[in-house]
Amino acid sequence: MTRLSLEPLDDRLAAGKTTLTSRELREELGISPSAASNLLARWRRAGLVDRVARGRYAIRQIGLLGTRASSEDVALAVAALVAGRAHRIAYHSALDFHGLLTRPVRTVQIASPHRFTSAAISGRPLEVVFERADTIGLGIEDAGYGAVVSNLERTLLDAAARPDLVGGYFPLAEALTGSDVDATRLLALAEQLSAGPALRRIGSLADRLELAGLAGELKPLAPLRWDLDLDPGLRESSGAFRDSLWRIRWPVDPRAVAQEVAQ
């Protein structure tokens, strides 16, 4: 590959840009669609760019050459996909970002008020969870490359609100056990999001698993008028338990969960 053929990548990286579209390449170099396609194909074979969606590419960083963008850095691949549109790396992918997953998950999950036609991102399944524009930016932090991710508090509240998207109640229990979340910040964000049910699940887990810093520190956002399942996807087993304080129905005995989390 000639020096000239690398200049567009060098220029974009020097400008702090880590993504590229085929249209941008055509316009910047003044070349035909077929010429741009050929050049991008050569870059892909050399491991210099990674196709994350149709017409969108992530420029590989030094040290990541030859690897898939989403396998090494979800933020890089997501930034190329969303191209500045409102989004949030969320659910399983946010748990992974914060180092709270104990089992690898291939699917990349983002929340966004926009629709995306791609079913995969950098060779991995993509799941886009629709969210209103007025809440998409609450509880976020910079993930790098122009992508944003749920902060720790939002990650835990999302997992508690939608256990079905993170594999059930147990990954949430593990995440709470392994995190250093601040109870005051968690309560404040839960109130902003009107995330009462999510907070109830977290409160019950924190109290019954006796999690330091959380147990006894949380309170419901409003008076409780009905029972709520800890994991709506599971039927109550013979060891089911009802937490009368939070009015949460557990599918198993909390002592069994505490023992499994501690292993």
Side-chain angles (χ1 to χ4, degrees):
M1 186 175 293
T2 67
R3 169 64 183 171
L4 178 62
S5 65
L6 292 178
E7 286 182 357
L9 298 182
D10 291 340
D11 291 345
R12 293 186 77 81
L13 289 174
K17 299 177 180 179
T18 56
T19 63
L20 176 71
T21 69
S22 55
R23 179 178 179 178
E24 289 171 340
L25 185 63
R26 294 197 307 270
E27 292 177 349
E28 290 175 8
L29 299 185
I31 58 178
S32 67
S34 61
S37 178
N38 289 336
L39 184 54
L40 286 165
R42 291 170 64 192
W43 284 341
R44 288 181 66 191
R45 288 194 297 269
L48 298 171
V49 300
D50 183 24
R51 183 179 183 273
V52 297
R54 184 176 181 180
R56 297 190 179 278
Y57 298 81
I59 303 173
R60 307 306 302 129
Q61 304 296 294
I62 294 174
L64 298 182
L65 296 182
T67 63
R68 299 305 295 263
S70 65
S71 65
E72 290 294 329
D73 200 326
V74 169
L76 177 61
V78 168
L81 173 72
V82 301
R85 286 171 286 183
H87 72 284
R88 191 179 70 253
I89 298 171
Y91 301 101
H92 254 146
S93 296
L95 286 170
D96 190 28
F97 182 91
H98 292 290
L100 298 176
L101 275 187
T102 59
R103 302 165 187 81
V105 177
R106 278 185 48 76
T107 300
V108 175
Q109 291 175 316
I110 66 172
S112 178
H114 301 286
R115 304 293 184 182
F116 296 88
T117 57
S118 299
I121 180 171
S122 192
R124 288 170 57 178
L126 172 68
E127 182 175 10
V128 181
V129 181
F130 181 78
E131 185 172 320
R132 302 193 320 270
D134 60 333
T135 62
I136 194 68
L138 296 178
I140 61 173
E141 63 183 66
D142 181 28
Y145 309 111
V148 296
V149 62
S150 303
N151 64 17
L152 178 59
E153 292 77 24
R154 184 69 192 266
T155 297
L156 295 172
L157 286 168
D158 280 351
R162 294 290 306 273
D164 58 307
L165 292 177
V166 299
Y169 75 89
F170 193 73
L172 172 61
E174 289 183 312
L176 286 167
T177 302
S179 70
D180 187 22
V181 64
D182 180 84
T184 301
R185 291 180 59 182
L186 186 69
L187 277 167
L189 183 58
E191 190 166 3
Q192 269 190 291
L193 294 167
S194 299
L199 186 65
R200 288 170 61 185
R201 292 187 177 108
I202 290 175
S204 184
L205 282 165
D207 289 351
R208 295 302 165 179
L209 301 183
E210 300 180 350
L211 301 181
L214 283 183
E217 299 296 323
L218 302 176
K219 59 181 180 180
L221 297 180
L224 305 182
R225 295 186 174 88
W226 64 86
D227 286 356
L228 186 70
D229 288 326
L230 180 63
D231 189 338
L234 294 178
R235 294 181 179 178
E236 292 181 283
S237 69
S238 57
F241 169 82
R242 181 180 181 272
D243 184 337
S244 58
L245 175 63
W246 290 96
R247 297 194 66 170
I248 292 291
R249 294 188 296 258
W250 288 58
V252 295
D253 190 315
R255 291 172 295 183
V257 178
Q259 291 174 355
E260 191 170 354
V261 168
Q263 291 178 357

